[in-house]
Amino acid sequence: MIAYRSLRVALLGGGSVGAQVARSLLEDRDELAHRVGASLDLIGIAVRDVDAKRSVDLPRELLTTDAERLILGADVVIELMGGIEPARTYILQALNSGADVVTGNKALLATHGPELFAAAEQVGAQLYYEAAVGGAIPIIRPLRESLAGDRVKRILGIVNGTTNYILDRMDTQGDSLEDALATAQELGLAEANPSADVDGYDAAQKAAILASLAFHTEVSVDDVHREGITAVTAAQIASAAHSGHVVKLLAICERLIDPDSGVEGVSVRVYPAMVPRSHPLAAVHGANNAVFVEAEAAGALMFYGAGAGGVETSSAVLGDLVSLARRHVVGGPGLTESKHAGLPVLEIGKATTRYAVTLDVIDEPGVLATIAGVFAEHGVSVETVEQSVATATPGGESTAILVIGTHGAREAALAATVADLAANRVVARVASVLRVEGA
Ligand code: NDP
Ligand code: HSE
């Protein structure tokens, strides 16, 4: 027996994800109605071009270019257009008209999240966004609800499938970054302009969303320190493999005590880092995503699966839809975002990380002591030193390669150490500086 009425669902976007959501709403109508307690009536799908070819044959009469009109008649609006505008304006219109909203738009949430959440709270509407991070992987709801009584200490995430695919190819197939990127583009993983992926913008947006939820603090994408993978070399991947590590693009969100003021803050950063092969994140291959969460009571948790794909991501969107539709039927306001902690976001120089520094040095007596002295001067403690193959420079000097692993050190101290090393007579070249995470 289906409950008292139906809910009118407007879909904005009929692309990779939107078309799959529409298909499920039409094909699984009866089953979804039982789960919700009311039928979900798809009243229209707003697109740019109603004649465009689509991955799913959508009923022509549902397609429209008039998104605003569609929103006006809806109880629930699903935004799957992407981009900032007009998505932002449409979501605000929907919320202000009392409709609940589901979106997968990480770019919008990471830049205008506070505005959208405030609008939802003001009218008691619900704004759900499970698809915005990790595609099909349930990670937003676990952070927002399941771990709401715990204290999240740290999140390490592989949240961009394209870069994980590229780094994995470099590690397992010996591909160059350029070749791996070309393959990713051929497979339709990376965009034609892949900057959002390889320069870390996509991961930074997702890091901002995760950090906001985990630490009950507003974190914008502009607060996130971002480094992409374009500078990662085959030599770094090989050197990491030699020492039992794999290089991954990580989104890191962690609570930190400001080393200068002693006040608690958060550090949110995206960069390629070496991860020990024994760490669960090292086993994340191909375009998969995974989010490793460390919480005070729950301990270590890992959320793993498909981080993208129209069908896969539609699962997260439909989960949000069923969840908020149930609440809509029962009545009462939706979940609000808790931003009460208001922790300061600390600059990268205050974060503490371990490092692997590779140097080409002149091979003569006293060099090791000189190098060790530079590290000591900046308070950076050396954990391991490995020296390999001596070669000759064009000038005839004999050189050696030193790989120095540090204990945890402040970014600022390490940066100063590297600057001094680069200027030192005994250092021919600072060949590589990679952070080590998850050890
Ligand atoms: P697509 O580019 O495949 O589809 C976008 C859709 O929105 C198209 O149907 C397009 O119309 C429509 N659209 C775009 N602009 C407008 C506009 N101004 N007015 C009306 N319609 C418009 O995007 P995806 O399905 O890949 O992504 C949708 C959202 O989901 C994005 O926010 C994305 O970040 C997010 N997401 C996507 C994932 C994925 O694997 N694809 C994974 C996780 C999240 P038309 O078809 O006529 O061009
Ligand atoms: N470009 C993104 C990725 C898509 O490669 O993970 C999913 O957000």
Side-chain angles (χ1 to χ4, degrees), residues 106 131-132 135 159-163 189 191 197 202 206 287 289 307-309:
K106 62 233 163 188
V159 291
N160 182 268
T162 303
T163 46
L189 289 172
E191 304 293 327
D197 296 313
D202 176 77
K206 292 166 179 170
N289 282 195

Side-chain angles (χ1 to χ4, degrees), residues 12-19 46-50 52-54 64-65 67 79-83 85-86 90 103-107 131-135 202 206 307-310 313:
L12 310 184
S16 303
V17 186
V47 292
R48 267 181 305 221
D49 175 6
V50 294
K53 193 165 161 35
R54 307 191 178 277
T64 174
T65 54
E79 185 277 308
L80 292 168
M81 295 180 348
E85 288 293 355
Y90 290 162
T103 179
N105 194 331
K106 62 233 163 188
V133 181
D202 176 77
K206 292 166 179 170
T313 305

Side-chain angles (χ1 to χ4, degrees), residues 47 52 76 127 177 197 216 225 227 250-251 263-264 283 312 353 359 367 405:
V47 292
V76 180
L127 175 57
L177 190 136
D197 296 313
H216 310 278
H225 174 86
E227 294 170 35
L250 296 182
V263 171
E264 185 179 46
E312 293 86 344
T353 314
L359 304 171
V367 166

